[in-house]
Structure formats: structure tokens, C-alpha cells
Amino acid sequence: MRTEPKLTRLDRVFARLDREPERPAHIDVPKMSRHRIVLLAATLAFYGAIVWAVVITSWLVRLDWQVMFFRPYQQWSEIHWFVDYYVVLGQRGPTAVMVAAWLGWRSWRQHTLRPLLALGVSLLLLNVTVGAAKYGMGRLGPHYATVIGSNEMWRGGDIFPSGHTANAVVTWGILAYMASTPRARRWLSAVSAVTSLGVGMATVYLGTHWLSDVLLGWAAGLLILLALPWFEPLISRSEARIFALRDRWRDRRGRAAAAPVSAPPVVVTPLPVDLDDVPARSARAPVYLAPGPHTARSERTPTTPAGSRRPPHPERHPRGSASSARP
């Protein structure tokens, strides 16, 4: 009796992945709906309010100093080791590599470059907007503060808004943005929100950022995710151009492999020779003959080698003649 092999859980997972179809074409790309535009405007207003509250040294700046003097890393020192590892989820290098690996696998499975291109556009927007705000406002961090109670603005710093927080919002939020179903999008949005919230609180715990830096970092990352549908036409055109270049390259390689490689014919054109300029050749013996008088082969006298059994030459008769009777 033939029995089927028992599949393990890992085998079933890979079998499920092998049966996974390509990304259906009817799945809609996120668009700038009215709800998204309202949320974008509200986030932009929150961003401006945080900046204004810090510039005028309001109650938010006083709260920043109170949290800094509280020194959370000393109050809860037993979790310091965990926070040191957890804050890595907001660093650009490790998070970009992990998210790019996942989106690259999706691009390969679904035969589309949209996930990777969307990640690249979002990271480019993050560098431009957050980097410009950091160096434009130049706020110093808690460890480098000079005057107690001041906002520490325009003093050569680069921590406002928090880059760790904004990077966590964008890199983990792009997974929710690229989700194929509404249910997956809701779950991934919740996970990315909790992750970025934890990264922001971790920087406050370690004392590397003010609380207002984290609030502005959340707003900066959310603005990029909300504005990403405006760049979908650019992503589609870039994908089409890349695929067109790939197809042209493949066609060129195919034609080069199919065409036979043959050397061009060599045409030898003889040079014109004037017979008047050619000197007459003198009659001389061939170069392979020794010098001296030579006779023709038929005129030579044959020589009988020593010990031969043939009769001497006078008694030999040429071929075709009748031989005389022997005595």
C-alpha cells in the first residue's frame, strides 16, 4: 500500500507560497481621497503647532525640561539594556535593509517594481523634508543644552524633529501602505504605530531627544505616508520605463546571439605591372641542379650495381624487341 509522505508545517508554508498567485491587477492603489486630505491637513496643522510652541518657548518647552530632569534612564535602569536594542528599530540602516528585503521578495513574487519604488520615494522624501527641518531649526539635544528653560533653537543642533521617530513611522508604515487587503492594512497600521511610538519613547528615555522632538517626528513621518499617493503616477512611469529598458536590452542580446558571426570577405586587388619595367630573365639551370653540364635521363648509361644477377648491359635488350635465341 502506497502512503503519502507526511508534510511538516514548514513544508505546508512553502507549498502555500508556491500556490500564491501573482498580484491581481484590480487591487487599487491608495488615492488622495477626501478622508486622506483632511487627515493630511490636520497633521500639517499639528506640525506647525509643535514648531510654534517650541519657538515661543511655551509650556511644551517647560515639559521638555521636566522630563529631562526626571532622567528616566536612572529611574528605570533595569530596562536600559532592552531600550538600547529596541531603539535600533528606528535607525535608517537596519530598518531599511529589513523592509527592502521584504518588499523585494514581494516585487519578485508579484512581478512588479512598485513596492521597491514606493520605499525609495518615501525614504527620499524623508531625507529631504526631515533633513531640511533639522538643519534649518538647528536645535540642540538634552545632553548639549546650554541654558536651562530655553528652547535651544538655532544653535547648530540637528535633533528637531526626531529622525529615529520619523524613520520608524515611514519604514514600518510603508508595509501598511503596500498591503493588498483592507484587513492587512489595518493590522499593519496598528503595528507600525505601536512600533514608532515605542521608538520615540525610547529616545526620550535615553535622553537623546526632547519630548517635542518625538511629537514632531511622528507628524513628519505621517505627512510623508499621507502624501505618498500624489507620487503614484511618478512611480508608475518609472516602473514602465525600467521594464521598457529591460525589454530593449533583452531584445538586443537576443539579436546579437542569433546573428551569425562571419568575417568580412577580403578582396585582394593585384597591383598593375608594367611589362617594360620587368627585366628579362637570363636562362639558367634550375636551382636544384648542381653546377656543370647535365645530360638528359634517357641519354645516361645505366650502371649495373655490384652483385646483380642481371646480365651485363650489352646483352640486355630493350623492351618490345624480339630477343635472340640463346645458344
Side-chain angles (χ1 to χ4, degrees), residues 123-146:
L123 292 180
L124 181 61
L125 291 175
L126 179 66
N127 288 335
V128 172
T129 57
V130 176
K134 279 175 174 289
Y135 292 103
M137 290 182 280
R139 190 182 189 188
L140 293 176
H143 293 313
Y144 302 97
T146 55

Side-chain angles (χ1 to χ4, degrees), residues 9-317:
R9 179 175 298 180
L10 185 61
D11 294 334
R12 290 194 297 270
V13 168
F14 281 108
R16 176 74 174 85
L17 293 177
D18 290 337
R19 292 194 304 268
E20 181 182 354
E22 298 180 6
R23 182 177 183 271
H26 67 273
I27 292 182
D28 57 335
V29 177
K31 299 179 181 179
M32 291 303 295
S33 60
R34 183 178 302 178
H35 173 74
R36 185 180 288 269
I37 292 176
V38 171
L39 189 57
L40 177 66
T43 306
L44 188 60
F46 179 76
Y47 188 100
I50 295 297
V51 173
W52 179 252
V54 172
V55 169
I56 65 174
T57 316
S58 65
W59 60 271
L60 186 57
V61 176
R62 292 194 297 269
L63 180 61
D64 288 340
W65 281 96
Q66 290 175 2
V67 173
M68 194 271 287
F69 284 135
F70 182 71
R71 291 182 173 83
Y73 59 89
Q74 292 181 355
Q75 300 295 330
W76 302 295
S77 58
E78 60 275 5
I79 63 172
H80 197 289
W81 65 272
F82 172 75
V83 177
D84 278 338
Y85 286 106
Y86 186 83
V87 79
V88 176
L89 296 177
Q91 290 183 358
R92 180 70 50 82
T95 56
V97 169
M98 289 187 290
V99 174
W102 169 255
L103 294 181
W105 182 83
R106 281 194 58 186
S107 296
W108 175 73
R109 290 287 299 176
Q110 299 173 352
H111 303 280
T112 177
L113 294 177
R114 180 173 169 264
L116 288 177
L117 291 176
L119 176 64
V121 170
S122 61
L123 292 180
L124 181 61
L125 291 175
L126 179 66
N127 288 335
V128 172
T129 57
V130 176
K134 279 175 174 289
Y135 292 103
M137 290 182 280
R139 190 182 189 188
L140 293 176
H143 293 313
Y144 302 97
T146 55
V147 179
I148 297 177
S150 66
N151 57 13
E152 302 296 325
M153 296 282 284
W154 299 292
R155 296 188 179 181
D158 58 351
I159 57 132
F160 188 63
S162 171
H164 272 69
T165 307
N167 182 71
V169 173
V170 172
T171 52
W172 300 114
I174 196 68
L175 298 179
Y177 179 83
M178 296 302 302
S180 302
T181 61
R183 182 181 179 182
R185 186 173 292 126
R186 287 193 298 268
W187 277 101
L188 290 174
S189 298
V191 171
S192 61
V194 172
T195 303
S196 58
L197 178 65
V199 169
M201 290 295 98
T203 59
V204 175
Y205 170 87
L206 295 174
T208 57
H209 279 288
W210 306 101
L211 181 61
S212 55
D213 298 342
V214 174
L215 296 177
L216 196 65
W218 285 332
L222 187 57
L223 284 175
I224 294 173
L225 291 179
L226 292 174
L228 201 55
W230 278 334
F231 297 89
E232 285 293 343
L234 175 62
I235 293 174
S236 300
R237 290 194 298 268
S238 301
E239 182 183 16
R241 290 179 180 177
I242 293 174
F243 282 145
L245 289 175
R246 182 201 62 179
D247 294 340
R248 286 200 295 268
W249 180 69
R250 285 181 176 178
D251 294 340
R252 191 176 304 156
R253 286 189 58 188
R255 288 195 300 267
V261 180
S262 59
V266 179
V267 180
V268 179
T269 305
L271 297 175
V273 179
D274 192 355
L275 297 178
D276 298 335
D277 298 337
V278 178
R281 294 185 179 181
S282 60
R284 58 180 180 177
V287 295
Y288 56 83
L289 297 178
H294 297 279
T295 58
R297 184 179 182 88
S298 59
E299 299 176 1
R300 298 177 192 173
T301 303
T303 305
T304 302
S308 175
R309 296 181 181 180
R310 292 183 297 177
H313 291 293
E315 298 181 0
R316 292 178 61 183
H317 303 279

